[in-house]
Amino acid sequence: MAKSYKQIPLHLNISEQIHQQIISGDYLPGAKLPSESKLIEQWQVSRITIRRAIANLVQQGLVATHQGKGAFVTQKRKVIYTLSNPLTFLEDDLANQGIELSLKNITFEPVTPPKEVQAILQLPLDNPTAYLQKKILLTDQEPGCVDITYILPEIGYQLESELKQNMTFPILELHNWKIERVKAIIECTNANLELSEYLDVPLGHPLLVYRHTAYTHNRPVVHGKSISRGDRFCYSVNQVETAFQQNQD
Amino acid sequence: MAKSYKQIPLHLNISEQIHQQIISGDYLPGAKLPSESKLIEQWQVSRITIRRAIANLVQQGLVATHQGKGAFVTQKRKVIYTLSNPLTFLEDDLANQGIELSLKNITFEPVTPPKEVQAILQLPLDNPTAYLQKKILLTDQEPGCVDITYILPEIGYQLESELKQNMTFPILELHNWKIERVKAIIECTNANLELSEYLDVPLGHPLLVYRHTAYTHNRPVVHGKSISRGDRFCYSVNQVETAFQQNQD
DNA sequence: ATTTAAAACTTGTTATAACAAGTGAAGTCA
DNA sequence: TGACTTCACTTGTTATAACAAGTTTTAAAT
């Protein structure tokens, strides 16, 4: 029979207690939690409740489950993106942290972008075409970031082969498209189906989004977003008082 | 009887289709989805599957549920934090966007901070005390951000009443603690129990974290984190080429 | 007419049950 | 020995059922 419940649901109670056990070191990072059947035995509740409790922990990023294997405490060492000069944005940064960076191209094709993107890139109304590139950044062989970028057609056509194998900004820099300004928005979301497959994370996993537009001679050249695993990445900012007077516009 | 399932689970199929309906405008922001019983009728599946499908949408931030009322499509208009001068960090920023800012103090007390914080604030080893402040920032009367900050004891003692009612940085500035540099990390997580109560969001809701340390004359004065609702806030950055040569250190 | 109480919605929690499917170890056959 | 199969163990999906608890509408009582 279904039992009554008061203020705090059972599944929450259980997940909070396991949470405490993880924090206190009863389960170290990488360790395997007891199997569902053992937890059912231990807590004397139904499987649905245990599963809900574990789902809570997964949602909080403390635990990751693998079908057929078990539930494991996640170990988080975050990769730091430094928000200073956009050109050194990634490669040097990651190299300094001893992280191997590789790249996998998913899509590279001319498309008609959505209205907002057409406006941002100032595409001609009679032929609003741009190259759409999707690529996955792998850090230490694991997918960590999806990059979805719209590129001006002349650039995309000219640099296709290089853009497919390298980071965008350095390649532009190499070919006389000097990036002088980047406007960016940092936000967070949860993984949808497409992203969860690209990044190998469960649906709803927290993700960091870096939406950017890069300018050369006050002309937008690329616009897109980089979506990183929130459990593995973060952004670093240095705000200096003097920057206030200098970058006023 | 339980039916077989192939690659794509039913609940995912359903949530993706509802997702499409939301995107295509069948359900506008703020609109109410059909009730669970109607969706069960519509899709000819069990309640547990419909609930799982809706849970997926909630997890992705597309839908919010209210017991006794229903499930509603969320309407997102994000508040923008500009990462330029830390002093104007919030108040001016939000005022420009026509957003009313108010503040609710939760905690203000002297504590012995954790080891990492002691080191960052360079507290004396024989008496490692600092003020711990927790406050909630409300934008347009709704809780949007939790601020958890450790403050040097002399500052906390002197400015207690003012810090309880105002933003931290402007108050410090007013009293000869000129903030010259802020080191910050931006990351994202999902809401745990404490944060979900403070911010009035479901467990696992995506959150933006701004971890910062502020310096006066190369001395750390405050260290803490601001945790904002990921569905309502984002950070804006302007990366300018010239900034590279100037802020080298 | 206003207030109160009941009823009819809604979503939230929990239990039991069965089958699907990934993983790894033990055992079988060549 | 080596490749294959089988089995036991794991988590994943779905169904049915009952009760808890907010919310709104309706009906009753004053």
Side-chain angles (χ1 to χ4, degrees), chain B residues 37-247:
Chain B
S37 33
K38 277 173 196 154
L39 288 171
I40 290 169
E41 181 82 9
Q42 212 177 99
W43 289 90
Q44 291 291 308
V45 296
S46 74
R47 193 178 166 210
I48 209 173
T49 304
I50 285 295
R51 281 184 64 74
R52 179 81 186 266
I54 291 175
N56 290 340
L57 296 170
V58 170
Q59 211 165 25
Q60 289 175 52
L62 273 95
V63 161
T65 59
H66 300 284
Q67 187 172 356
K69 296 172 87 173
F72 301 84
V73 179
T74 53
Q75 43 211 332
K76 45 176 79 180
R77 36 143 190 130
K78 287 201 178 180
V79 177
I80 301 174
Y81 292 145
T82 302
L83 294 173
S84 53
N85 182 15
L87 298 179
T88 61
F89 186 41
L90 255 183
E91 290 188 317
D92 297 359
D93 233 35
L94 298 188
N96 285 340
Q97 297 173 57
I99 293 157
E100 191 189 320
L101 181 70
S102 55
L103 212 141
K104 186 180 167 192
N105 190 74
I106 304 291
T107 307
F108 196 103
E109 55 182 12
V111 297
T112 301
K115 282 272 163 59
E116 320 88 76
V117 178
Q118 290 181 27
I120 290 172
L121 287 181
Q122 300 171 14
L123 299 178
L125 293 174
D126 57 331
N127 182 24
T129 308
Y131 276 81
L132 169 61
Q133 177 172 36
K134 295 189 189 183
K135 55 189 171 191
I136 298 181
L137 277 68
L138 303 107
T139 49
D140 293 336
Q141 271 82 44
E142 288 180 353
C145 178
V146 178
D147 198 88
I148 300 173
T149 307
Y150 291 94
I151 306 167
L152 283 194
E154 56 266 39
I155 301 177
Y157 178 78
Q158 184 195 341
L159 304 178
E160 171 162 353
S161 59
E162 294 188 67
L163 286 172
K164 276 184 179 171
Q165 296 169 50
N166 299 91
M167 299 298 298
T168 307
F169 288 159
I171 290 300
L172 293 178
E173 178 83 357
L174 265 179
H175 291 81
N176 274 5
W177 296 95
K178 192 168 170 58
I179 305 296
E180 286 154 348
R181 193 156 59 91
V182 176
K183 285 169 69 174
I185 293 276
I186 298 172
E187 54 192 353
C188 69
T189 37
N190 281 352
N192 60 19
L193 192 56
E194 184 192 11
L195 292 173
S196 70
E197 283 170 358
Y198 283 150
L199 293 174
D200 191 28
V201 293
L203 202 74
H205 189 90
L207 301 174
L208 266 177
V209 182
Y210 175 84
R211 293 211 323 257
H212 63 274
T213 309
Y215 295 84
T216 299
H217 303 109
N218 274 320
R219 237 204 104 185
V221 288
V222 293
H223 171 74
K225 51 186 173 183
S226 294
I227 304 154
S228 315
R229 291 181 52 158
D231 60 335
R232 303 252 311 271
F233 292 86
C234 64
Y235 289 93
S236 149
V237 201
N238 267 296
Q239 297 164 290
V240 183
E241 176 67 8
T242 51
F244 181 55
Q245 282 91 14
Q246 290 167 358
N247 308 338

Side-chain angles (χ1 to χ4, degrees), chain A residues 16-43:
Chain A
E16 281 293 312
Q17 293 211 35
I18 296 178
H19 179 113
Q20 282 308 316
Q21 290 182 308
I22 292 174
I23 287 178
S24 71
D26 291 358
Y27 301 116
L28 295 175
K32 182 177 174 300
L33 292 186
S35 70
E36 289 179 359
S37 32
K38 276 173 196 157
L39 289 171
I40 290 168
E41 181 82 10
Q42 212 178 100
W43 290 91

Side-chain angles (χ1 to χ4, degrees), chain A residues 59 184 186 190 210 235 237 239, chain B residues 59 184 186 190 210 235 239:
Chain A
Q59 210 164 25
I186 297 172
N190 282 351
Y210 175 84
Y235 289 93
V237 202
Q239 296 164 290
Chain B
Q59 211 165 25
I186 298 172
N190 281 352
Y210 175 84
Y235 289 93
Q239 297 164 290

Side-chain angles (χ1 to χ4, degrees), chain A residues 41-204:
Chain A
E41 181 82 10
Q42 212 178 100
W43 290 91
Q44 292 292 308
V45 295
S46 74
R47 192 178 167 211
I48 209 172
T49 304
I50 285 295
R51 280 184 64 74
R52 179 81 186 266
I54 292 176
N56 290 339
L57 296 170
V58 170
Q59 210 164 25
Q60 289 174 52
L62 272 95
V63 162
T65 59
H66 300 283
Q67 187 172 354
K69 296 172 85 172
F72 300 84
V73 179
T74 53
Q75 44 212 336
K76 46 176 77 180
R77 35 144 189 127
K78 287 201 179 180
V79 177
I80 301 174
Y81 292 146
T82 303
L83 294 173
S84 53
N85 183 13
L87 297 179
T88 62
F89 186 40
L90 257 182
E91 290 189 315
D92 296 359
D93 233 35
L94 299 187
N96 286 339
Q97 297 172 58
I99 294 156
E100 190 190 320
L101 181 70
S102 53
L103 212 140
K104 185 181 167 191
N105 190 76
I106 304 292
T107 307
F108 196 102
E109 55 183 11
V111 296
T112 302
K115 282 271 163 58
E116 321 87 75
V117 178
Q118 290 181 28
I120 290 172
L121 287 181
Q122 301 171 14
L123 298 179
L125 294 174
D126 56 331
N127 182 24
T129 307
Y131 275 81
L132 168 62
Q133 177 172 37
K134 296 190 188 182
K135 54 188 171 192
I136 298 181
L137 277 67
L138 303 106
T139 48
D140 291 336
Q141 271 82 43
E142 288 180 353
C145 178
V146 178
D147 197 89
I148 300 172
T149 306
Y150 291 95
I151 306 167
L152 284 193
E154 56 265 39
I155 300 177
Y157 179 78
Q158 186 195 340
L159 304 177
E160 171 162 352
S161 59
E162 293 188 66
L163 286 172
K164 277 184 178 172
Q165 297 170 50
N166 298 92
M167 299 296 299
T168 307
F169 288 158
I171 290 301
L172 293 178
E173 179 83 357
L174 265 180
H175 290 82
N176 274 5
W177 297 94
K178 193 169 169 57
I179 305 298
E180 286 153 350
R181 193 156 57 92
V182 176
K183 285 169 69 174
I185 292 276
I186 297 172
E187 55 193 352
C188 69
T189 37
N190 282 351
N192 60 20
L193 191 56
E194 184 192 11
L195 292 173
S196 70
E197 283 170 356
Y198 283 150
L199 292 173
D200 191 27
V201 293
L203 203 72

